[in-house]
Amino acid sequence: ETADIGVTGLATMGRNLARNLAHHGYVVALHNRSESKTKQIMADHSDEGAFLPASSMAEFVASLRRPRRAIIMVKAGPATDAVIEELAALMEPGDMIVDGGNAHFADTRRREAALKERGLHFVGAGISGGEEGALNGPSIMPGGSVESYRELGPMLESIAAQVDGVPCCVHVGPDGAGHFVKMVHNGIEYSDMQLIAEAYDLLRQALGRSPAELAEIFREWNRGDLESYLIEITAEVLDHVDASGQPLVDVIVDQAEQKGTGRWTVASALDLGVPVTGIAEAVFARALSGHPEQRAAARNLEGPNGTAPNYSLVEDVRLALYASKIIAYAQGFDQITAASEEFGWNIDRGAMATIWRGGCIIRARFLDRIRTAYEANPQLPTLLADPTFAEALTEAQQAWRRVVSTAAQIGVPTPGFSSALAYYDGLRRERLPAALIQGLRDFFGAHTYRRIDRDGTFHTDWSGDRTERPA
Ligand code: NBP
């Protein structure tokens, strides 16, 4: 009973997380369904810290000091349920099970409730940063009880990425809050990548620049407002020439795949009634790319394939990208707000921006601005209302409109830029055509409407004398 913590599931993520814990001085118990992975770590890394390898789950649990803390890093879904059950059967009240996989937050809520009945703490912890992050400092988003965080927090904070001396790990909220926030993080990652891809596509078509020239533009952008990990690696990918001598981006099949967290984010947003158009367009753009038969069938449809030689286009696209990014993040934070209210999570949005500054895929200078915005006004109704972001949008909006119209004129699809602009104009519009929609709903379905000049709900007798009655 000497291990501070254990990790079961020692594939890429689990192995690196266990090593990270050991590097920080913790005694780490190791377990994997097939023992070969456990042995491999001992062969390759046992000199890096204190590991206690176990060949069975019983041995693994027996090696943990109390209250026991075990992190599960296995494939999300039924495998996670199976491992939880095995662990729970061997544990005692007060012990803690942490799921660091990419679980759906509804599964985490279900598991947390079931384990609480058995006196166990269950912590669904979102972990971002891929294998490199797991080893050297990920962004960690743990849910679960306050008591469990008291025990686990210091350990998780010590292995997380650190930015300005602040760990990229904070207690997000009860039950599924951590996995929810991780899900939205992944959704935002989809929209960031879509916007970058649109900027690349538009500049390439409009200006006829080569991937290497475009890499230079992204490198330049990475020195300003857009500075981020994804912009940085965009330059790397665009610059890469493969063994055949061609830019790699030109030989990769243009069908984007997805594992499902983007889809989960959009499905949850539909349930919550939050317009996350930036994430949704990104998910749908990937889906469109993955239908080669439809793309082949549509290839000869009429439309321009023009250029737009225009000296200010590069700067215009930079501004459109930044403005659209603000919209996508504003929408993602709205979704967190809505879920926090729906599930009683009481999530501190500024703290979420803080822990996304490092370790994770969307890490960016930009997140400091979001943190500042929520610190200045914790009740901010939308990020667009923050003075700094409002000013950035004001500065960008003319360029943004030029970009969307140029893209439409030369036939380059920019669903991210266009839908973000439509969202911006929708929110700032004094009167929306939703009034007409309400009129139509009342006409065909007697769904009633409210008036701007009187309280109450009303119905017009459309099929009769068209007088209005209170409903
Ligand atoms: P995988 O998602 O590829 O899962 C492999 C691990 O699951 C192995 O240890 C395997 O054991 C174990 N496992 C399976 Br599969 N079925 C099992 C079962 N029924 N009982 C017990 N163990 C079982 O590993 P990963 O890529 O390291 O990811 C781990 C988790 O972290 C996942 O939930 C993933 O979504 C999440 N995540 C991954 C990344 C990333 O960049 N890869 C980033 C963030 C989060 P075996 O060796 O005996 O087959």
Side-chain angles (χ1 to χ4, degrees):
E1 296 180 12
T2 52
D4 298 308
I5 192 160
V7 179
T8 177
L10 300 172
T12 318
M13 290 294 287
R15 177 180 62 237
N16 283 355
L17 206 65
R19 290 172 62 203
N20 187 350
L21 284 160
H23 296 171
H24 283 85
Y26 297 109
V27 179
V28 185
L30 300 174
H31 175 262
N32 192 67
R33 177 179 62 176
S34 39
E35 206 184 349
S36 56
K37 285 196 177 69
T38 315
K39 290 190 166 141
Q40 197 62 47
I41 298 191
M42 294 312 289
D44 298 341
H45 306 290
S46 59
D47 58 340
E48 293 175 15
F51 297 107
L52 287 180
S55 50
S56 69
M57 195 63 103
E59 194 188 323
F60 173 73
V61 171
S63 71
L64 298 169
R65 70 173 168 80
R66 293 175 213 198
R68 302 181 180 94
R69 309 170 188 90
I71 304 181
I72 302 176
M73 285 306 282
V74 304
K75 202 175 162 67
T80 304
D81 279 312
V83 176
I84 289 173
E85 198 40 55
E86 258 190 281
L87 268 174
L90 295 161
M91 284 186 153
E92 289 166 304
D95 290 349
M96 276 160 254
I97 299 178
V98 183
D99 175 17
N102 266 340
H104 190 284
F105 74 96
D107 285 335
T108 302
R109 285 167 59 76
R110 166 178 62 77
R111 290 164 181 156
E112 200 270 345
L115 289 175
K116 194 190 270 175
E117 298 257 300
R118 297 161 76 170
L120 298 171
H121 293 285
F122 182 69
V123 174
I127 301 183
S128 176
E131 70 177 285
E132 214 273 331
L135 182 62
N136 297 317
S139 174
I140 310 179
M141 296 150 251
S145 65
V146 172
E147 300 79 51
S148 61
Y149 195 77
R150 211 173 288 137
E151 290 286 333
L152 272 168
M155 281 185 171
L156 298 181
E157 288 177 16
S158 73
I159 65 161
Q162 314 282 321
V163 175
D164 304 333
V166 180
C168 294
C169 173
V170 76
H171 182 225
V172 176
D175 58 76
H179 274 138
F180 185 90
V181 164
K182 170 64 172 29
M183 175 188 79
V184 175
H185 161 283
N186 283 28
I188 289 176
E189 178 185 311
Y190 274 60
S191 61
D192 262 346
M193 290 165 69
Q194 174 64 23
L195 295 172
I196 288 172
E198 290 178 17
Y200 150 78
D201 192 22
L202 181 57
L203 288 176
R204 192 162 184 189
Q205 170 78 33
L207 304 177
R209 303 273 175 95
S210 69
E213 288 168 328
L214 292 166
E216 193 46 45
I217 290 173
F218 279 96
R219 225 172 269 124
E220 179 63 35
W221 287 355
N222 201 37
R223 290 191 271 271
D225 286 336
L226 288 171
E227 181 191 324
S228 62
Y229 171 69
L230 282 169
I231 294 279
E232 178 192 328
I233 66 171
T234 297
E236 303 245 353
V237 173
L238 289 176
D239 232 359
H240 187 65
V241 175
D242 83 341
S244 71
Q246 299 181 77
L248 179 68
V249 72
D250 286 344
V251 294
I252 294 179
V253 173
D254 59 346
Q255 295 174 28
E257 297 177 7
Q258 42 188 326
K259 280 191 170 169
T261 40
R263 198 164 51 230
W264 288 353
T265 313
V266 178
S268 146
L270 290 173
D271 288 341
L272 293 164
V274 181
V276 291
T277 54
I279 300 170
E281 291 294 353
V283 171
F284 290 141
R286 289 196 195 187
L288 183 151
S289 80
H291 283 285
E293 69 301 341
Q294 291 187 330
R295 292 171 59 191
R299 186 126 316 135
N300 293 325
L301 292 177
E302 198 49 44
N305 280 310
T307 57
N310 169 343
Y311 295 110
S312 70
L313 191 66
V314 174
E315 178 59 6
D316 278 2
V317 170
R318 188 187 72 82
L319 288 164
L321 175 49
Y322 188 53
S324 304
K325 184 179 166 95
I326 294 173
I327 301 294
Y329 279 68
Q331 295 176 339
F333 276 86
D334 286 350
Q335 187 174 354
I336 290 175
T337 309
S340 183
E341 282 168 13
E342 168 89 11
F343 300 113
W345 287 335
N346 201 18
I347 294 177
D348 174 349
R349 296 171 296 178
M352 296 310 106
T354 305
I355 63 172
W356 289 347
R357 293 182 306 166
C360 61
I361 306 301
I362 65 171
R363 61 184 181 261
R365 190 199 280 191
F366 180 68
L367 284 154
D368 242 345
R369 274 166 239 149
I370 298 182
R371 179 184 60 88
T372 312
Y374 283 121
E375 264 170 22
N377 179 4
Q379 308 306 327
L380 200 60
T382 162
L383 271 180
L384 310 196
D386 170 73
T388 309
F389 288 124
E391 195 185 307
L393 290 165
T394 302
E395 195 200 323
Q397 60 105 16
Q398 289 294 356
W400 196 5
R401 293 179 199 287
R402 285 193 294 271
V403 165
V404 169
S405 75
T406 299
Q409 272 161 11
I410 67 171
V412 175
T414 52
F417 290 167
S418 326
S419 69
L421 181 59
Y423 178 86
Y424 174 76
D425 282 333
L427 269 194
R428 64 178 199 92
R429 194 135 175 89
E430 169 130 19
R431 290 274 300 158
L432 286 168
L436 175 58
I437 290 172
Q438 285 296 80
L440 296 172
R441 293 177 72 245
D442 191 57
F443 189 104
F444 68 68
H447 291 305
T448 76
Y449 50 84
R450 287 177 294 126
R451 297 182 56 99
I452 59 170
D453 53 356
R454 268 180 279 145
D455 285 341
T457 51
F458 301 90
H459 169 60
T460 290
D461 182 11
W462 295 101
S463 54
D465 62 3
R466 305 209 164 183
T467 54
E468 181 181 79
R469 276 179 236 109

